[in-house]
Amino acid sequence: MRRWTFASLAAAGLLCIGCASTTTGSVTTGGQGRSQLLLVSQQEVMQESLKYYDAQNKEARSEGVLVTSGAEFNRVNAVMQRLVPQVGVFRPDAAKWPWQLVLINEDTVNAHVMAGGKITFYTGIVRKLKLTDDEIAAVMGHEMAHALREHTREKMSQSTASDLVLSIGGALLGVGQGVTQLAGMGKQIALDLPFSRHMESEADLYGLELSARAGYDPQAAVTLWQKMATVGGGGGPQFLSTHPSSGDRMAALQAAIPRVMPLYQAARSGRP
């Protein structure tokens, strides 16, 4: 019992250390910034992200699929450049990040972001879904929100904490290897997938506000996921998916739209 108490206290102490919020909140979340476990340093995450980003770009360049100019690149980049000035609302330091777009000429219906504002779009998501500029902004805002909320750092911190807690618990309690491996398997489903469903939902809401502040129609976030559903973008068992189902996603976005619509209208009234 004492060993279990010590393991519990160690786990609880670990979870308390490094808890903070990376942003100042959002109107879509009631202005409250959720507390996050941030055990891994921002510098470590940036370093690892840049390594992956550089390797990805080198491979794409060698295969002749890295797009750095032209109408399609300019269109997507223009959306990003319009969103970047709004990031300071969520965290002032992000306005100084070297935001950068990479466009890869592949049929993949996907986009992703690296820590620090390195965004990758695949031409497949724009072409196959026939995205409008407002829908591109919905995707872009979602990816930028992952970076603003430092979800990659949070995932790495959760994994680090879980590994250490499992190790402490197993050693102190004398847990057999088979039981520890079973716990690790559960951790893999819960923690080691790219982003949790909660993080994806959070990125949806922050991204919705980001795009609205830039003058892009919030309703486009719903039409985007309607299109994604037609190509299986929201399919699969929700329990084992890192993404919410399309229906849940659209319902949450619809509920949040009235809160960001005044921001959109204000942005539009200030534009020619």
mmCIF file with all atom_site columns, all heavy atoms in Angstrom, residues 28 40 44-45 54 56 82 115 140 157 160 182 193 196-197 202 225 234 242 255 257-258 268:
data_model
loop_
_atom_site.group_PDB
_atom_site.id
_atom_site.type_symbol
_atom_site.label_atom_id
_atom_site.label_alt_id
_atom_site.label_comp_id
_atom_site.label_asym_id
_atom_site.label_entity_id
_atom_site.label_seq_id
_atom_site.pdbx_PDB_ins_code
_atom_site.Cartn_x
_atom_site.Cartn_y
_atom_site.Cartn_z
_atom_site.occupancy
_atom_site.B_iso_or_equiv
_atom_site.pdbx_formal_charge
_atom_site.auth_seq_id
_atom_site.auth_comp_id
_atom_site.auth_asym_id
_atom_site.auth_atom_id
_atom_site.pdbx_PDB_model_num
ATOM 1   N N   . THR A 1 28  ? -14.185 31.202 -28.442 1.00 0.00 ? 28  THR A N   1
ATOM 2   C CA  . THR A 1 28  ? -14.867 29.937 -28.691 1.00 0.00 ? 28  THR A CA  1
ATOM 3   C C   . THR A 1 28  ? -14.786 28.997 -27.497 1.00 0.00 ? 28  THR A C   1
ATOM 4   O O   . THR A 1 28  ? -15.508 28.011 -27.417 1.00 0.00 ? 28  THR A O   1
ATOM 5   C CB  . THR A 1 28  ? -14.285 29.215 -29.920 1.00 0.00 ? 28  THR A CB  1
ATOM 6   O OG1 . THR A 1 28  ? -12.881 29.010 -29.714 1.00 0.00 ? 28  THR A OG1 1
ATOM 7   C CG2 . THR A 1 28  ? -14.495 30.031 -31.177 1.00 0.00 ? 28  THR A CG2 1
ATOM 8   N N   . VAL A 1 40  ? 8.298   18.864 -21.696 1.00 0.00 ? 40  VAL A N   1
ATOM 9   C CA  . VAL A 1 40  ? 9.347   18.982 -22.710 1.00 0.00 ? 40  VAL A CA  1
ATOM 10  C C   . VAL A 1 40  ? 9.516   20.458 -23.068 1.00 0.00 ? 40  VAL A C   1
ATOM 11  O O   . VAL A 1 40  ? 8.531   21.187 -23.216 1.00 0.00 ? 40  VAL A O   1
ATOM 12  C CB  . VAL A 1 40  ? 8.984   18.162 -23.962 1.00 0.00 ? 40  VAL A CB  1
ATOM 13  C CG1 . VAL A 1 40  ? 10.081  18.261 -25.012 1.00 0.00 ? 40  VAL A CG1 1
ATOM 14  C CG2 . VAL A 1 40  ? 8.722   16.715 -23.590 1.00 0.00 ? 40  VAL A CG2 1
ATOM 15  N N   . GLU A 1 44  ? 13.400  22.036 -27.453 1.00 0.00 ? 44  GLU A N   1
ATOM 16  C CA  . GLU A 1 44  ? 13.551  20.648 -27.893 1.00 0.00 ? 44  GLU A CA  1
ATOM 17  C C   . GLU A 1 44  ? 12.563  20.310 -29.002 1.00 0.00 ? 44  GLU A C   1
ATOM 18  O O   . GLU A 1 44  ? 12.921  19.676 -29.997 1.00 0.00 ? 44  GLU A O   1
ATOM 19  C CB  . GLU A 1 44  ? 13.332  19.699 -26.711 1.00 0.00 ? 44  GLU A CB  1
ATOM 20  C CG  . GLU A 1 44  ? 14.459  19.655 -25.705 1.00 0.00 ? 44  GLU A CG  1
ATOM 21  C CD  . GLU A 1 44  ? 14.147  18.697 -24.572 1.00 0.00 ? 44  GLU A CD  1
ATOM 22  O OE1 . GLU A 1 44  ? 13.411  19.084 -23.643 1.00 0.00 ? 44  GLU A OE1 1
ATOM 23  O OE2 . GLU A 1 44  ? 14.633  17.548 -24.626 1.00 0.00 ? 44  GLU A OE2 1
ATOM 24  N N   . VAL A 1 45  ? 11.341  20.736 -28.809 1.00 0.00 ? 45  VAL A N   1
ATOM 25  C CA  . VAL A 1 45  ? 10.305  20.442 -29.800 1.00 0.00 ? 45  VAL A CA  1
ATOM 26  C C   . VAL A 1 45  ? 10.602  21.164 -31.106 1.00 0.00 ? 45  VAL A C   1
ATOM 27  O O   . VAL A 1 45  ? 10.458  20.597 -32.196 1.00 0.00 ? 45  VAL A O   1
ATOM 28  C CB  . VAL A 1 45  ? 8.917   20.841 -29.271 1.00 0.00 ? 45  VAL A CB  1
ATOM 29  C CG1 . VAL A 1 45  ? 7.839   20.550 -30.311 1.00 0.00 ? 45  VAL A CG1 1
ATOM 30  C CG2 . VAL A 1 45  ? 8.599   20.099 -27.985 1.00 0.00 ? 45  VAL A CG2 1
ATOM 31  N N   . ASP A 1 54  ? 12.863  19.875 -42.494 1.00 0.00 ? 54  ASP A N   1
ATOM 32  C CA  . ASP A 1 54  ? 13.946  19.955 -43.484 1.00 0.00 ? 54  ASP A CA  1
ATOM 33  C C   . ASP A 1 54  ? 14.077  18.653 -44.274 1.00 0.00 ? 54  ASP A C   1
ATOM 34  O O   . ASP A 1 54  ? 14.285  18.672 -45.495 1.00 0.00 ? 54  ASP A O   1
ATOM 35  C CB  . ASP A 1 54  ? 15.271  20.276 -42.792 1.00 0.00 ? 54  ASP A CB  1
ATOM 36  C CG  . ASP A 1 54  ? 15.316  21.702 -42.265 1.00 0.00 ? 54  ASP A CG  1
ATOM 37  O OD1 . ASP A 1 54  ? 14.500  22.524 -42.720 1.00 0.00 ? 54  ASP A OD1 1
ATOM 38  O OD2 . ASP A 1 54  ? 16.165  21.983 -41.396 1.00 0.00 ? 54  ASP A OD2 1
ATOM 39  N N   . GLN A 1 56  ? 11.688  16.439 -44.811 1.00 0.00 ? 56  GLN A N   1
ATOM 40  C CA  . GLN A 1 56  ? 10.514  16.347 -45.687 1.00 0.00 ? 56  GLN A CA  1
ATOM 41  C C   . GLN A 1 56  ? 10.708  17.169 -46.948 1.00 0.00 ? 56  GLN A C   1
ATOM 42  O O   . GLN A 1 56  ? 10.456  16.708 -48.066 1.00 0.00 ? 56  GLN A O   1
ATOM 43  C CB  . GLN A 1 56  ? 9.277   16.852 -44.936 1.00 0.00 ? 56  GLN A CB  1
ATOM 44  C CG  . GLN A 1 56  ? 8.060   17.079 -45.827 1.00 0.00 ? 56  GLN A CG  1
ATOM 45  C CD  . GLN A 1 56  ? 7.039   17.991 -45.188 1.00 0.00 ? 56  GLN A CD  1
ATOM 46  O OE1 . GLN A 1 56  ? 6.100   17.515 -44.569 1.00 0.00 ? 56  GLN A OE1 1
ATOM 47  N NE2 . GLN A 1 56  ? 7.204   19.307 -45.316 1.00 0.00 ? 56  GLN A NE2 1
ATOM 48  N N   . ARG A 1 82  ? -2.643  36.178 -44.559 1.00 0.00 ? 82  ARG A N   1
ATOM 49  C CA  . ARG A 1 82  ? -3.763  36.950 -44.020 1.00 0.00 ? 82  ARG A CA  1
ATOM 50  C C   . ARG A 1 82  ? -4.118  36.509 -42.598 1.00 0.00 ? 82  ARG A C   1
ATOM 51  O O   . ARG A 1 82  ? -4.607  37.310 -41.794 1.00 0.00 ? 82  ARG A O   1
ATOM 52  C CB  . ARG A 1 82  ? -4.984  36.809 -44.945 1.00 0.00 ? 82  ARG A CB  1
ATOM 53  C CG  . ARG A 1 82  ? -6.044  37.869 -44.721 1.00 0.00 ? 82  ARG A CG  1
ATOM 54  C CD  . ARG A 1 82  ? -6.962  37.936 -45.902 1.00 0.00 ? 82  ARG A CD  1
ATOM 55  N NE  . ARG A 1 82  ? -8.358  37.761 -45.530 1.00 0.00 ? 82  ARG A NE  1
ATOM 56  C CZ  . ARG A 1 82  ? -9.367  37.673 -46.394 1.00 0.00 ? 82  ARG A CZ  1
ATOM 57  N NH1 . ARG A 1 82  ? -9.110  37.715 -47.699 1.00 0.00 ? 82  ARG A NH1 1
ATOM 58  N NH2 . ARG A 1 82  ? -10.603 37.538 -45.979 1.00 0.00 ? 82  ARG A NH2 1
ATOM 59  N N   . ALA A 1 115 ? 6.007   22.513 -35.168 1.00 0.00 ? 115 ALA A N   1
ATOM 60  C CA  . ALA A 1 115 ? 6.129   23.531 -34.129 1.00 0.00 ? 115 ALA A CA  1
ATOM 61  C C   . ALA A 1 115 ? 6.815   24.773 -34.684 1.00 0.00 ? 115 ALA A C   1
ATOM 62  O O   . ALA A 1 115 ? 7.749   24.681 -35.472 1.00 0.00 ? 115 ALA A O   1
ATOM 63  C CB  . ALA A 1 115 ? 6.928   22.966 -32.953 1.00 0.00 ? 115 ALA A CB  1
ATOM 64  N N   . MET A 1 140 ? -6.184  25.941 -42.860 1.00 0.00 ? 140 MET A N   1
ATOM 65  C CA  . MET A 1 140 ? -4.999  26.659 -42.409 1.00 0.00 ? 140 MET A CA  1
ATOM 66  C C   . MET A 1 140 ? -5.128  27.088 -40.954 1.00 0.00 ? 140 MET A C   1
ATOM 67  O O   . MET A 1 140 ? -4.188  26.948 -40.158 1.00 0.00 ? 140 MET A O   1
ATOM 68  C CB  . MET A 1 140 ? -4.773  27.896 -43.287 1.00 0.00 ? 140 MET A CB  1
ATOM 69  C CG  . MET A 1 140 ? -3.478  28.637 -43.029 1.00 0.00 ? 140 MET A CG  1
ATOM 70  S SD  . MET A 1 140 ? -2.027  27.730 -43.598 1.00 0.00 ? 140 MET A SD  1
ATOM 71  C CE  . MET A 1 140 ? -2.223  27.880 -45.389 1.00 0.00 ? 140 MET A CE  1
ATOM 72  N N   . SER A 1 157 ? 5.114   15.658 -24.056 1.00 0.00 ? 157 SER A N   1
ATOM 73  C CA  . SER A 1 157 ? 5.149   15.735 -22.601 1.00 0.00 ? 157 SER A CA  1
ATOM 74  C C   . SER A 1 157 ? 4.284   14.654 -21.970 1.00 0.00 ? 157 SER A C   1
ATOM 75  O O   . SER A 1 157 ? 4.668   14.028 -20.979 1.00 0.00 ? 157 SER A O   1
ATOM 76  C CB  . SER A 1 157 ? 4.672   17.123 -22.138 1.00 0.00 ? 157 SER A CB  1
ATOM 77  O OG  . SER A 1 157 ? 5.529   18.140 -22.597 1.00 0.00 ? 157 SER A OG  1
ATOM 78  N N   . THR A 1 160 ? 6.129   11.392 -22.338 1.00 0.00 ? 160 THR A N   1
ATOM 79  C CA  . THR A 1 160 ? 7.244   11.340 -21.393 1.00 0.00 ? 160 THR A CA  1
ATOM 80  C C   . THR A 1 160 ? 6.755   11.048 -19.984 1.00 0.00 ? 160 THR A C   1
ATOM 81  O O   . THR A 1 160 ? 7.304   10.198 -19.276 1.00 0.00 ? 160 THR A O   1
ATOM 82  C CB  . THR A 1 160 ? 8.005   12.682 -21.408 1.00 0.00 ? 160 THR A CB  1
ATOM 83  O OG1 . THR A 1 160 ? 8.557   12.898 -22.709 1.00 0.00 ? 160 THR A OG1 1
ATOM 84  C CG2 . THR A 1 160 ? 9.126   12.686 -20.376 1.00 0.00 ? 160 THR A CG2 1
ATOM 85  N N   . LEU A 1 182 ? 0.898   -4.496 -21.203 1.00 0.00 ? 182 LEU A N   1
ATOM 86  C CA  . LEU A 1 182 ? -0.507  -4.247 -21.477 1.00 0.00 ? 182 LEU A CA  1
ATOM 87  C C   . LEU A 1 182 ? -0.841  -2.786 -21.221 1.00 0.00 ? 182 LEU A C   1
ATOM 88  O O   . LEU A 1 182 ? -1.535  -2.143 -21.999 1.00 0.00 ? 182 LEU A O   1
ATOM 89  C CB  . LEU A 1 182 ? -1.388  -5.150 -20.602 1.00 0.00 ? 182 LEU A CB  1
ATOM 90  C CG  . LEU A 1 182 ? -2.901  -5.027 -20.811 1.00 0.00 ? 182 LEU A CG  1
ATOM 91  C CD1 . LEU A 1 182 ? -3.263  -5.427 -22.242 1.00 0.00 ? 182 LEU A CD1 1
ATOM 92  C CD2 . LEU A 1 182 ? -3.651  -5.906 -19.810 1.00 0.00 ? 182 LEU A CD2 1
ATOM 93  N N   . LEU A 1 193 ? -0.757  8.274  -30.552 1.00 0.00 ? 193 LEU A N   1
ATOM 94  C CA  . LEU A 1 193 ? -1.279  8.639  -31.857 1.00 0.00 ? 193 LEU A CA  1
ATOM 95  C C   . LEU A 1 193 ? -1.022  10.134 -32.063 1.00 0.00 ? 193 LEU A C   1
ATOM 96  O O   . LEU A 1 193 ? -0.837  10.874 -31.104 1.00 0.00 ? 193 LEU A O   1
ATOM 97  C CB  . LEU A 1 193 ? -2.769  8.314  -31.928 1.00 0.00 ? 193 LEU A CB  1
ATOM 98  C CG  . LEU A 1 193 ? -3.092  6.812  -31.872 1.00 0.00 ? 193 LEU A CG  1
ATOM 99  C CD1 . LEU A 1 193 ? -4.587  6.596  -31.751 1.00 0.00 ? 193 LEU A CD1 1
ATOM 100 C CD2 . LEU A 1 193 ? -2.547  6.078  -33.082 1.00 0.00 ? 193 LEU A CD2 1
ATOM 101 N N   . SER A 1 196 ? -4.618  13.926 -30.068 1.00 0.00 ? 196 SER A N   1
ATOM 102 C CA  . SER A 1 196 ? -5.824  13.364 -29.454 1.00 0.00 ? 196 SER A CA  1
ATOM 103 C C   . SER A 1 196 ? -7.068  13.989 -30.071 1.00 0.00 ? 196 SER A C   1
ATOM 104 O O   . SER A 1 196 ? -7.014  15.052 -30.687 1.00 0.00 ? 196 SER A O   1
ATOM 105 C CB  . SER A 1 196 ? -5.812  13.624 -27.953 1.00 0.00 ? 196 SER A CB  1
ATOM 106 O OG  . SER A 1 196 ? -5.987  15.017 -27.690 1.00 0.00 ? 196 SER A OG  1
ATOM 107 N N   . ARG A 1 197 ? -8.193  13.329 -29.888 1.00 0.00 ? 197 ARG A N   1
ATOM 108 C CA  . ARG A 1 197 ? -9.455  13.883 -30.374 1.00 0.00 ? 197 ARG A CA  1
ATOM 109 C C   . ARG A 1 197 ? -9.727  15.236 -29.720 1.00 0.00 ? 197 ARG A C   1
ATOM 110 O O   . ARG A 1 197 ? -10.260 16.143 -30.351 1.00 0.00 ? 197 ARG A O   1
ATOM 111 C CB  . ARG A 1 197 ? -10.587 12.895 -30.103 1.00 0.00 ? 197 ARG A CB  1
ATOM 112 C CG  . ARG A 1 197 ? -10.520 11.643 -30.962 1.00 0.00 ? 197 ARG A CG  1
ATOM 113 C CD  . ARG A 1 197 ? -11.771 10.788 -30.826 1.00 0.00 ? 197 ARG A CD  1
ATOM 114 N NE  . ARG A 1 197 ? -11.919 10.209 -29.493 1.00 0.00 ? 197 ARG A NE  1
ATOM 115 C CZ  . ARG A 1 197 ? -11.360 9.071  -29.114 1.00 0.00 ? 197 ARG A CZ  1
ATOM 116 N NH1 . ARG A 1 197 ? -10.594 8.395  -29.972 1.00 0.00 ? 197 ARG A NH1 1
ATOM 117 N NH2 . ARG A 1 197 ? -11.571 8.586  -27.909 1.00 0.00 ? 197 ARG A NH2 1
ATOM 118 N N   . GLU A 1 202 ? -10.080 21.083 -30.208 1.00 0.00 ? 202 GLU A N   1
ATOM 119 C CA  . GLU A 1 202 ? -9.594  22.378 -29.770 1.00 0.00 ? 202 GLU A CA  1
ATOM 120 C C   . GLU A 1 202 ? -9.034  23.179 -30.943 1.00 0.00 ? 202 GLU A C   1
ATOM 121 O O   . GLU A 1 202 ? -9.291  24.388 -31.068 1.00 0.00 ? 202 GLU A O   1
ATOM 122 C CB  . GLU A 1 202 ? -8.508  22.172 -28.711 1.00 0.00 ? 202 GLU A CB  1
ATOM 123 C CG  . GLU A 1 202 ? -8.069  23.430 -28.009 1.00 0.00 ? 202 GLU A CG  1
ATOM 124 C CD  . GLU A 1 202 ? -7.147  23.125 -26.842 1.00 0.00 ? 202 GLU A CD  1
ATOM 125 O OE1 . GLU A 1 202 ? -6.027  22.608 -27.079 1.00 0.00 ? 202 GLU A OE1 1
ATOM 126 O OE2 . GLU A 1 202 ? -7.543  23.402 -25.694 1.00 0.00 ? 202 GLU A OE2 1
ATOM 127 N N   . TRP A 1 225 ? -15.852 20.199 -43.814 1.00 0.00 ? 225 TRP A N   1
ATOM 128 C CA  . TRP A 1 225 ? -16.006 18.845 -43.275 1.00 0.00 ? 225 TRP A CA  1
ATOM 129 C C   . TRP A 1 225 ? -17.108 18.063 -43.957 1.00 0.00 ? 225 TRP A C   1
ATOM 130 O O   . TRP A 1 225 ? -17.078 16.835 -43.981 1.00 0.00 ? 225 TRP A O   1
ATOM 131 C CB  . TRP A 1 225 ? -16.172 18.902 -41.757 1.00 0.00 ? 225 TRP A CB  1
ATOM 132 C CG  . TRP A 1 225 ? -14.844 19.191 -41.159 1.00 0.00 ? 225 TRP A CG  1
ATOM 133 C CD1 . TRP A 1 225 ? -14.387 20.373 -40.665 1.00 0.00 ? 225 TRP A CD1 1
ATOM 134 C CD2 . TRP A 1 225 ? -13.734 18.285 -41.122 1.00 0.00 ? 225 TRP A CD2 1
ATOM 135 N NE1 . TRP A 1 225 ? -13.072 20.263 -40.310 1.00 0.00 ? 225 TRP A NE1 1
ATOM 136 C CE2 . TRP A 1 225 ? -12.643 18.991 -40.557 1.00 0.00 ? 225 TRP A CE2 1
ATOM 137 C CE3 . TRP A 1 225 ? -13.565 16.950 -41.475 1.00 0.00 ? 225 TRP A CE3 1
ATOM 138 C CZ2 . TRP A 1 225 ? -11.397 18.394 -40.366 1.00 0.00 ? 225 TRP A CZ2 1
ATOM 139 C CZ3 . TRP A 1 225 ? -12.324 16.363 -41.276 1.00 0.00 ? 225 TRP A CZ3 1
ATOM 140 C CH2 . TRP A 1 225 ? -11.263 17.082 -40.737 1.00 0.00 ? 225 TRP A CH2 1
ATOM 141 N N   . GLY A 1 234 ? -13.687 11.862 -42.539 1.00 0.00 ? 234 GLY A N   1
ATOM 142 C CA  . GLY A 1 234 ? -14.130 11.774 -41.155 1.00 0.00 ? 234 GLY A CA  1
ATOM 143 C C   . GLY A 1 234 ? -14.591 10.394 -40.791 1.00 0.00 ? 234 GLY A C   1
ATOM 144 O O   . GLY A 1 234 ? -15.243 10.190 -39.770 1.00 0.00 ? 234 GLY A O   1
ATOM 145 N N   . THR A 1 242 ? -7.905  9.577  -34.090 1.00 0.00 ? 242 THR A N   1
ATOM 146 C CA  . THR A 1 242 ? -7.476  10.800 -33.418 1.00 0.00 ? 242 THR A CA  1
ATOM 147 C C   . THR A 1 242 ? -8.389  11.966 -33.777 1.00 0.00 ? 242 THR A C   1
ATOM 148 O O   . THR A 1 242 ? -8.320  13.011 -33.144 1.00 0.00 ? 242 THR A O   1
ATOM 149 C CB  . THR A 1 242 ? -6.035  11.169 -33.812 1.00 0.00 ? 242 THR A CB  1
ATOM 150 O OG1 . THR A 1 242 ? -5.964  11.331 -35.218 1.00 0.00 ? 242 THR A OG1 1
ATOM 151 C CG2 . THR A 1 242 ? -5.073  10.101 -33.361 1.00 0.00 ? 242 THR A CG2 1
ATOM 152 N N   . ALA A 1 255 ? -22.119 25.110 -33.396 1.00 0.00 ? 255 ALA A N   1
ATOM 153 C CA  . ALA A 1 255 ? -22.440 25.721 -32.103 1.00 0.00 ? 255 ALA A CA  1
ATOM 154 C C   . ALA A 1 255 ? -21.542 26.916 -31.804 1.00 0.00 ? 255 ALA A C   1
ATOM 155 O O   . ALA A 1 255 ? -21.957 27.850 -31.096 1.00 0.00 ? 255 ALA A O   1
ATOM 156 C CB  . ALA A 1 255 ? -22.308 24.674 -30.999 1.00 0.00 ? 255 ALA A CB  1
ATOM 157 N N   . ILE A 1 257 ? -20.044 28.928 -34.171 1.00 0.00 ? 257 ILE A N   1
ATOM 158 C CA  . ILE A 1 257 ? -20.086 29.971 -35.201 1.00 0.00 ? 257 ILE A CA  1
ATOM 159 C C   . ILE A 1 257 ? -20.731 31.271 -34.709 1.00 0.00 ? 257 ILE A C   1
ATOM 160 O O   . ILE A 1 257 ? -20.207 32.364 -34.999 1.00 0.00 ? 257 ILE A O   1
ATOM 161 C CB  . ILE A 1 257 ? -20.760 29.444 -36.479 1.00 0.00 ? 257 ILE A CB  1
ATOM 162 C CG1 . ILE A 1 257 ? -19.777 28.535 -37.231 1.00 0.00 ? 257 ILE A CG1 1
ATOM 163 C CG2 . ILE A 1 257 ? -21.214 30.585 -37.391 1.00 0.00 ? 257 ILE A CG2 1
ATOM 164 C CD1 . ILE A 1 257 ? -20.369 27.833 -38.441 1.00 0.00 ? 257 ILE A CD1 1
ATOM 165 N N   . PRO A 1 258 ? -21.865 31.233 -33.977 1.00 0.00 ? 258 PRO A N   1
ATOM 166 C CA  . PRO A 1 258 ? -22.440 32.504 -33.516 1.00 0.00 ? 258 PRO A CA  1
ATOM 167 C C   . PRO A 1 258 ? -21.484 33.346 -32.662 1.00 0.00 ? 258 PRO A C   1
ATOM 168 O O   . PRO A 1 258 ? -21.576 34.581 -32.657 1.00 0.00 ? 258 PRO A O   1
ATOM 169 C CB  . PRO A 1 258 ? -23.653 32.051 -32.685 1.00 0.00 ? 258 PRO A CB  1
ATOM 170 C CG  . PRO A 1 258 ? -24.028 30.731 -33.273 1.00 0.00 ? 258 PRO A CG  1
ATOM 171 C CD  . PRO A 1 258 ? -22.726 30.087 -33.641 1.00 0.00 ? 258 PRO A CD  1
ATOM 172 N N   . ARG A 1 268 ? -14.724 41.973 -42.022 1.00 0.00 ? 268 ARG A N   1
ATOM 173 C CA  . ARG A 1 268 ? -15.222 42.242 -43.373 1.00 0.00 ? 268 ARG A CA  1
ATOM 174 C C   . ARG A 1 268 ? -15.555 43.717 -43.555 1.00 0.00 ? 268 ARG A C   1
ATOM 175 O O   . ARG A 1 268 ? -15.335 44.300 -44.612 1.00 0.00 ? 268 ARG A O   1
ATOM 176 C CB  . ARG A 1 268 ? -16.466 41.403 -43.673 1.00 0.00 ? 268 ARG A CB  1
ATOM 177 C CG  . ARG A 1 268 ? -16.206 39.910 -43.792 1.00 0.00 ? 268 ARG A CG  1
ATOM 178 C CD  . ARG A 1 268 ? -15.211 39.573 -44.859 1.00 0.00 ? 268 ARG A CD  1
ATOM 179 N NE  . ARG A 1 268 ? -15.660 39.996 -46.184 1.00 0.00 ? 268 ARG A NE  1
ATOM 180 C CZ  . ARG A 1 268 ? -14.899 39.994 -47.271 1.00 0.00 ? 268 ARG A CZ  1
ATOM 181 N NH1 . ARG A 1 268 ? -13.619 39.623 -47.181 1.00 0.00 ? 268 ARG A NH1 1
ATOM 182 N NH2 . ARG A 1 268 ? -15.381 40.369 -48.435 1.00 0.00 ? 268 ARG A NH2 1
#
